[in-house]
Structure formats: C-alpha cells, structure tokens
Amino acid sequence: MISKKTISFILKIGIVFFSIYFLYIQFLLKVDDNQINNFSIFSNLKSNLFSFFLVFFMMFINWIIEAFKWKLLIKKIENITIWTSIRAVFSGITVSTFTPNRVGEYGGRIFCLSKADRIQSILITVIGSIGQLITTIFFGFFGFMFLPNYLPEILEYNFFHFVSYKFCVICLAILNLCLVFIFLKTSYLSIVLTHFKFLNRFKKYIKVFSFYNSKELFYVFLLSNFRYIVFTTQFFILLNIFDDNIFYFDAIPLIMMMLLIVSIIPTIVFTELSVRGSVAVFLFGMITSNTIAVISATFIMWIMNFVIPALIGTFFIFSLKFFRR
C-alpha cells in the first residue's frame, strides 16, 4: 500500500510539472504569434529599465496586498503569519495555472493551513475573491460611463439613444452601489440560508458568511481596491513603454473596461492569454493603431503577474499539507 507521504510527494511533483508545462505551452503559443516581435519587446524594455523594474516591484506589492487580505479573512478559523499567507497565495497561483478560470487557486491556498476546516477555508477564500470581483465590476462600470469619449457617435443617432445612455449610466451607478452594499452585508446571507431546511446539514459552512462585520468587509474591499490600482498602474506603465503616445486619462477607462470584460469571460488555460490580448486590442484600438504595443504590454503583464508568481509558487508547493495526522 502506498503511504500518504509518497502520495503527497507524487501530487506535488505533478502540480509542479503541469504548472511549468502549461505555462511553457502558453508562452510558445504567444511567441509563435506573428504579431509578437520579440526583438522589439526586449529593445523597448532595455531602453526603459526603470519602468520595467518598477512594474516588477509592483508585482510583489500586488500579491503581498492579497496575502494581507487573505490573512485578515482566514484568521477567523486559523491565525497564520504573513509569511504563511504569502506562501499560500503563491502556491495558489501555481495550482491555478492548469485549471479553468484559475479555480485551482483555492485548493493551492487551503493546503497551507494546519488546522482550519478546508471547506470553510475555501468559502472564506471565495469571499475574498468576490470582494476583488466586485472591485473589478465597480471600476469597470465606471469605465463604461466614459465610452462616449471614445465613440461619440453613439450619442449622435437620435434622442432615444441619448436618453438610453443616460439611463444606462444611472442604472450602472445604482448597480455599483448595490453590489458594494450587498458585499458589506454578507453576514445576512447566513440568515437567509438558514431558512432553508435542506441546508441544515451545512450549518457549519453557512455560518462562515456571518464571521465578518461590515467594517471588516470594507477593509477587504479597500485592499481589493489597492490591488486594482496597482494592477491598472502596471498596465499603463507597460503601455507607455511600448507607445509613449498613450496618455493616462485616455488609457485608464479602457483598462477598467478590459479588466471587467476578461473577468466575466469564461476561459480555459490555453485561451486565457489570447482572450486578454484580443479584448485589449479591440478596446485600445479606439485610441491607437499601434496593435503591437497593446499586445506586447498584455504579454509582459501576463509574465509579470502570472508566470513569475507561478514559478515562485513552485518552490512553496513542497510545503503543502495534503494529509493531516
């Protein structure tokens, strides 16, 4: 009979192998894309080393903020150090490399915990992800309000279209406020779910949603906002490296729209990077014809915020605890 220790080791080797393999395949697919000029990319990065290293440094800030957020959330069931939280975050990124829509990230994190119930841990991690998603939706809808600045013709058809646009803006603003309010009142979800008798057997997990008050969830929302600001700033800096004619106030609303669109499109591992690139090219085509710059920025952004963290995470995979004594 194979021991748990052996099974655990095989699983860890498998995760590392599949992670590196899927990243390698995606990298080759993009490099083989005729739209990517490798020499041009490295030439631009070399002539903008300060900006490049700033984006690289911001990558660590981005994931450290996420680690602080997860530590804050998970402490309700297990008190962990910030180092353990950082290990969990990077391990999660590694596991997510070969799963649809990166759902494997939840599993990668919970196996860094020693005592906490794993299903509760997943639900808590989902709460953090929802906070990030609501942040993306919040700013994404805000970005769409600026769409007439890029496509003024949508207001020129007739009075009906103008009224429709104004109505859409009001609806989006109200929806934004409702989403944030619902997130801050997540504890009410426990109350609602307990009214369903068939869910009584899951009370242990339902009560997870009552762990946090509005103040704690607002702090989680703020941390999600900080991550969003770091991420959008990174992308703008990269765009500016490849095309210095793209200006901040033109680019930010488009970045907001891009992040919203890619966050709601279901993707599989091999299509994720292509989807991001296609959406970015479509949106930024409103302000620039420099397609290469947009694709290059998207490619480097993917390497910075996903490939490098995933590779770092492979070193932490061997500390995961699949089995408990």
Side-chain angles (χ1 to χ4, degrees):
M1 184 177 178
I2 303 175
S3 67
K4 289 182 179 179
K5 186 176 181 180
T6 303
I7 295 173
S8 178
F9 181 74
I10 292 172
L11 285 173
K12 291 169 184 176
I13 290 293
I15 288 171
V16 171
F17 171 79
F18 280 110
S19 174
I20 294 174
Y21 173 74
F22 277 87
L23 288 174
Y24 177 70
I25 294 298
Q26 285 192 77
F27 184 84
L28 283 185
L29 287 173
K30 201 60 183 177
V31 168
D32 287 342
D33 192 330
N34 291 329
Q35 291 179 303
I36 288 282
N37 185 323
N38 297 315
F39 178 78
S40 176
I41 287 179
F42 291 113
S43 176
N44 278 281
L45 292 178
K46 188 176 179 180
S47 59
N48 293 273
L49 282 178
F50 175 78
S51 296
F52 174 75
F53 282 113
L54 178 59
V55 172
F56 183 74
F57 176 70
M58 292 174 76
M59 176 269 288
F60 287 104
I61 294 177
N62 179 22
W63 291 115
I64 288 172
I65 292 172
E66 175 63 21
F68 271 106
K69 186 172 75 175
W70 196 65
K71 181 181 184 299
L72 170 71
L73 288 166
I74 211 70
K75 74 176 182 180
K76 297 291 184 178
I77 57 174
E78 183 173 334
N79 197 18
I80 62 173
T81 64
I82 185 60
W83 174 243
T84 299
S85 186
I86 289 171
R87 284 197 297 111
V89 167
F90 280 106
S91 297
I93 298 168
T94 302
V95 178
S96 73
T97 55
F98 50 89
T99 54
N101 280 63
R102 302 186 185 180
V103 294
E105 186 172 346
Y106 303 129
R109 292 191 188 189
I110 66 170
F111 290 119
C112 284
L113 300 173
S114 301
K115 302 174 183 177
D117 181 275
R118 285 174 172 170
I119 295 180
Q120 285 186 327
S121 304
I122 290 175
L123 292 174
I124 287 172
T125 306
V126 168
I127 291 173
S129 297
I130 290 173
Q132 198 66 54
L133 177 61
I134 288 176
T135 298
T136 303
I137 294 172
F138 182 88
F139 285 102
F141 283 166
F142 188 73
F144 270 104
M145 292 179 188
F146 288 88
L147 194 58
N149 292 345
Y150 307 99
L151 297 172
E153 58 270 19
I154 67 175
L155 299 179
E156 295 175 358
Y157 291 123
N158 52 48
F159 178 76
F160 174 75
H161 284 84
F162 178 75
V163 172
S164 296
Y165 171 72
K166 292 290 186 182
F167 179 73
C168 286
V169 168
I170 293 170
C171 288
L172 289 177
I174 293 172
L175 181 58
N176 262 341
L177 293 175
C178 288
L179 285 173
V180 175
F181 179 79
I182 291 171
F183 178 70
L184 297 180
K185 298 298 180 181
T186 300
S187 58
Y188 289 131
L189 183 59
S190 291
I191 299 173
V192 173
L193 293 177
T194 52
H195 283 84
F196 297 94
K197 291 183 178 180
F198 70 92
L199 293 175
N200 285 344
R201 68 181 70 177
F202 304 112
K203 281 184 178 180
K204 178 181 178 181
Y205 307 118
I206 290 173
K207 70 178 183 180
V208 165
F209 300 105
S210 65
F211 285 171
Y212 311 97
N213 57 43
S214 296
K215 183 178 179 181
E216 290 171 320
L217 290 172
F218 183 70
Y219 184 51
V220 169
F221 182 66
L222 280 182
L223 289 174
S224 298
N225 277 237
F226 288 144
R227 277 197 67 203
Y228 190 90
I229 292 168
V230 170
F231 194 88
T232 52
T233 304
Q234 278 181 296
F235 195 72
F236 172 72
I237 292 172
L238 285 174
L239 282 171
N240 216 242
I241 287 176
F242 296 106
D243 186 348
D244 56 12
N245 290 317
I246 297 177
F247 302 105
Y248 184 80
F249 290 107
D250 290 331
I252 289 300
L254 294 174
I255 295 173
M256 290 175 176
M257 286 187 266
M258 178 193 76
L259 293 178
L260 173 60
I261 293 170
V262 299
S263 70
I264 60 178
I265 297 177
T267 57
I268 58 175
V269 175
F270 292 119
T271 63
E272 181 180 352
L273 184 56
S274 296
V275 168
R276 286 176 177 269
S278 299
V279 172
V281 168
F282 171 76
L283 290 173
F284 281 92
M286 300 178 190
I287 61 172
T288 180
S289 59
N290 192 347
T291 304
I292 299 298
V294 178
I295 294 175
S296 299
T298 306
F299 182 59
I300 299 300
M301 192 71 171
W302 175 71
I303 290 176
M304 283 285 190
N305 280 325
F306 189 59
V307 176
I308 294 175
L311 293 176
I312 292 173
T314 59
F315 294 99
F316 299 132
I317 290 297
F318 293 95
S319 66
L320 298 183
K321 305 177 182 73
F322 293 117
F323 302 102
R324 292 175 180 171
R325 295 179 182 179

